[in-house]
Amino acid sequence: MGEGVEWGLHCCVTLGWLKDEGPVSIRKLAAWFDLPQEYLKKRLQALTKAGILASTPGARGGFALARPPEQITMMDVVTALEGPVEAFRCAEIRQRGVGAEGGQFRRPCGISMAMRRAELAWRRELAGQTIADLMEGATPSGERTRRNYARMRG
């Protein structure tokens, strides 16, 4: 998983805390996290395309959450940034080479089944956690974010 997922999640949480401030510019978000603006912009555009963020053009434009933080899961963000592709893709290597002996395997191997169970558990956990949950779990950070953002505007 790329670091863009971390960036996307942090930006969503930050935008949740700053919901009353209106759209937050890409310049301010990039400065806030000391991130390259163009790369961050690509990540935020993917979140916008997925309906997680709303983008407002213009001098006073920027990004905001497109829906309430309670309705955005961590899995929504991961899927928007990484795509829906499974992390483990079984290539059925047991059916190649000398060890295969021309045999046909009717069921997935134990490795494939174990990796699939792990991936389903991981996806279920991320789907069960919302941006609102992350915000609630870091309340002091939210207060600090609002205070420091107010200083940025001044």
Side-chain angles (χ1 to χ4, degrees), residues 40-53 80-81:
L40 179 61
K41 184 177 183 179
K42 289 178 186 177
R43 304 290 70 80
L44 299 185
Q45 287 172 337
L47 293 172
T48 301
K49 184 177 178 184
I52 294 167
L53 298 182
L81 295 171

Side-chain angles (χ1 to χ4, degrees), residues 7-8 10-16 18 22-37 40-41 44 47 53-54 61-65 145 149 152:
W7 296 6
H10 276 288
C11 285
C12 286
V13 169
T14 300
L15 291 171
L18 298 175
V24 178
S25 74
I26 187 68
R27 183 184 54 76
K28 286 182 180 175
L29 282 170
W32 190 263
F33 293 111
D34 192 25
L35 297 173
Q37 186 172 318
L40 179 61
K41 184 177 183 179
L44 299 185
L47 293 172
L53 298 182
F63 293 90
L65 294 180
T145 296
Y149 187 77
M152 259 179 110

Side-chain angles (χ1 to χ4, degrees), residues 65-87:
L65 294 180
R67 47 189 207 256
E70 298 81 14
Q71 295 177 10
I72 303 169
T73 70
M74 292 178 71
M75 193 69 233
D76 293 335
V77 175
V78 170
T79 301
L81 295 171
E82 294 287 312
V85 179
E86 295 177 358

Side-chain angles (χ1 to χ4, degrees), residues 91-143:
E92 280 293 347
I93 65 168
R94 66 187 176 152
Q95 294 191 45
R96 300 189 300 226
V98 177
E101 296 181 2
Q104 292 294 323
F105 298 95
R106 300 186 200 297
R107 295 181 10 186
C109 71
I111 293 168
S112 179
M113 290 171 37
M115 294 299 280
R116 181 72 182 138
R117 282 191 309 271
E119 176 138 354
L120 287 173
W122 173 77
R123 288 178 178 270
R124 216 175 3 258
E125 181 66 24
L126 292 179
Q129 295 285 311
T130 66
I131 296 301
D133 295 331
L134 296 173
M135 291 168 63
E136 185 179 314
T139 303
S141 293
E143 293 164 5

